[in-house]
Amino acid sequence: MNTFNKEERLCSRKLLDLLFKDGSSFLLYPFRISYRFVDVPHSFPAQVVINAPKKRFKRAVDRNLIKRRIREVYRLQKQTVLYPALEGSEQLLIFSIQYVGKKIYEFSFLEKKMEGALKRLIGNIKNDQGS
């Protein structure tokens, strides 16, 4: 089921502070991904927050377009790429997708980049858990 429920959105200020203070991150243009595992009760394996910078995109219309495209790309790929890798995990993965691109890209470009970013996220998680 390709939905994006409220429970999949990261809203908790405590968790956001924890993510940005103690989380790991990597850059895969045009995204910067920060992630961390936490021990909290959850119904979904991951929670995400999506950001677009006001400094680079002054008009709210542009920021909203970027965030809408990123949400849609994530919604379509989470079931096939991310969730199978997190299956059986007792902890909740919290992560942020920050848009660092300098211009507004097409949906197809963002789709390819999101797939690569999610695969790299899974690889980083497996490396962190393995060591």
Side-chain angles (χ1 to χ4, degrees):
M1 199 161 91
N2 288 336
T3 59
F4 191 56
N5 294 326
K6 171 74 172 153
E7 293 84 26
E8 294 178 89
R9 297 169 198 253
L10 181 56
C11 301
S12 167
R13 283 203 184 269
K14 275 188 200 176
L15 292 179
L16 283 168
D17 288 343
L18 194 63
L19 171 64
F20 290 115
K21 285 181 186 168
D22 301 331
S24 304
S25 66
F26 63 89
L27 181 73
L28 186 77
Y29 190 83
F31 302 121
R32 182 174 195 268
I33 309 285
S34 301
Y35 63 95
R36 188 179 197 292
F37 277 102
V38 291
D39 290 318
V40 293
H42 58 279
S43 55
F44 289 93
Q47 285 188 341
V48 63
V49 63
I50 297 169
N51 301 333
K54 189 173 186 177
K55 186 176 183 179
R56 192 161 289 140
F57 300 100
K58 301 290 186 202
R59 297 171 58 207
V61 174
D62 295 335
R63 292 192 305 276
N64 290 339
L65 173 67
I66 291 167
K67 290 189 286 186
R68 200 167 40 245
R69 284 184 181 169
I70 293 171
R71 266 195 311 270
E72 182 66 9
V73 167
Y74 173 73
R75 182 187 72 82
L76 292 172
Q77 294 187 357
K78 67 180 179 180
Q79 293 292 341
T80 57
V81 180
L82 183 63
Y83 283 5
L86 296 175
E87 218 168 81
S89 176
E90 295 297 318
Q91 295 180 312
L92 171 69
L93 172 68
I94 56 173
F95 70 105
S96 74
I97 302 171
Q98 296 169 309
Y99 189 80
V100 295
K102 290 182 174 46
K103 64 178 198 165
I104 301 172
Y105 291 103
E106 293 297 316
F107 185 84
S108 57
F109 177 78
L110 293 177
E111 207 168 20
K112 290 176 200 159
K113 290 297 187 168
M114 179 63 73
E115 186 176 354
L118 291 177
K119 286 181 179 175
R120 184 161 170 194
L121 174 62
I122 292 164
N124 286 0
I125 289 168
K126 288 184 178 170
N127 287 342
D128 292 348
Q129 289 174 345
S131 57

